Amino acid sequence: MIDVRRFGRRASPGKVRGRATGGAVGGAPVTYGLIALCCAIFLISPLSGFGGASYGSQDALLAAQAGYFERWGVIPADLWEGSPRALVTPFTALFVHGSWVHLLGNLLFLYVFGAMAEERMGRARFVLFYVGCGYLALVCYAAVHADSEQTLVGASGAISAVLGAFLRLFPKARVTSLFPFLFFLPLRFPAWIVLVFWFGLQWAAAQAADAGPGVAYLAHVAGFAAGFLYAWGRYRGRTRVKVPATATEGDSQP
């Protein structure tokens, strides 16, 4: 989840190797449905770049984009006024993205980590988990920045929750990652190393961030914590595995 138009993640996964019941990659319709839905919504939005000529001028296009964010995104200052419309926006904002980079960066993480988490939780529970934790992450950010009028959009809070749950459910899964400070060399680590490192980056960035435009790191922290705590409380026993899952592939992003 980010403030308008900017996205940043520091360590991007290339693929995950692990085990999940039933073969996660081929049995994750919710994960792939969420990816398809986010793509479809972005393509028909005034942000995709398609149909820009229909607005007549650049100013009209920018006005349409601003109105789109205000209608579907979360504005913390409005959220705490308690209007029914504002209370729905933490849900609608999960499916709105500010740019192609924002969209593809988020969906890469969902594609890599979502399938195995969904397979472990089950489809219905995964949907409720994704939406509930995403909503909570946005509300947490809005609570800390209650006077902010910046519009918040994106699925990063929900996807951060998926990462937190993945850490609890599959800490020893092998994650191949590309790190900018290691010259993007592909290195394989247990998931717990990669995800704890990622969380540490988000936490450190959240301490320095303000409520202005940019990445809402606090929502990443809140979503990750919510996802981990949910999985820790719900799946206290050892995660059972039966068949190896095919590795999921993804491109890296600085």
Side-chain angles (χ1 to χ4, degrees):
M1 193 288 305
I2 66 162
D3 288 315
V4 177
R5 298 173 185 266
R6 303 181 72 180
F7 175 79
R9 291 186 185 272
R10 303 299 178 86
S12 297
K15 59 186 176 181
V16 174
R17 294 187 181 274
R19 294 176 179 266
T21 58
V25 175
V30 173
T31 296
Y32 302 134
L34 288 170
I35 291 173
L37 179 60
C38 288
C39 288
I41 289 174
F42 184 78
L43 288 173
I44 63 176
S45 76
L47 305 163
S48 66
F50 298 110
S54 63
Y55 293 95
S57 68
Q58 184 68 16
D59 289 342
L61 175 60
L62 293 176
Q65 292 174 348
Y68 182 79
F69 284 127
E70 291 177 5
R71 180 176 181 181
W72 302 113
V74 178
I75 301 177
D78 293 345
L79 182 64
W80 301 114
E81 293 180 357
S83 71
R85 191 201 70 80
L87 293 175
V88 173
T89 56
F91 169 74
T92 59
L94 296 177
F95 303 95
V96 176
H97 292 83
S99 68
W100 282 101
V101 173
H102 181 200
L103 173 73
L104 297 178
N106 269 353
L107 297 187
L108 168 63
F109 275 76
L110 180 57
Y111 173 69
V112 170
F113 292 99
M116 289 175 66
E118 176 189 343
E119 189 71 12
R120 179 66 180 88
M121 294 182 185
R123 297 171 186 175
R125 186 174 287 116
F126 183 75
V127 170
L128 296 176
F129 164 81
Y130 182 91
V131 173
C133 288
Y135 192 104
L136 178 63
L138 288 166
V139 170
C140 286
Y141 182 91
V144 174
H145 301 289
D147 297 329
S148 174
E149 296 185 354
Q150 294 292 331
T151 306
L152 312 175
V153 296
S156 298
I159 295 171
S160 296
V162 173
L163 302 187
F166 194 98
L167 174 61
R168 170 63 183 89
L169 297 173
F170 308 105
K172 296 182 180 179
R174 304 298 295 181
V175 180
T176 302
S177 299
L178 305 181
F179 294 92
F181 58 85
L182 294 178
F183 304 101
F184 299 99
L185 294 175
L187 301 174
R188 296 181 67 232
F189 299 99
W192 72 267
I193 293 179
V194 175
L195 293 177
V196 168
F197 177 77
W198 179 87
F199 179 78
L201 288 178
Q202 307 309 303
W203 176 268
Q207 307 310 303
D210 55 27
V215 180
Y217 293 105
L218 180 59
H220 297 179
V221 171
F224 189 96
F228 180 85
L229 291 174
Y230 169 81
W232 179 79
R234 178 65 179 78
Y235 304 97
R236 286 180 177 271
R238 182 177 179 181
T239 301
R240 295 185 178 275
V241 296
K242 294 182 179 180
V243 297
T246 306
T248 51
E249 300 289 342
D251 295 328
S252 66
Q253 177 189 330

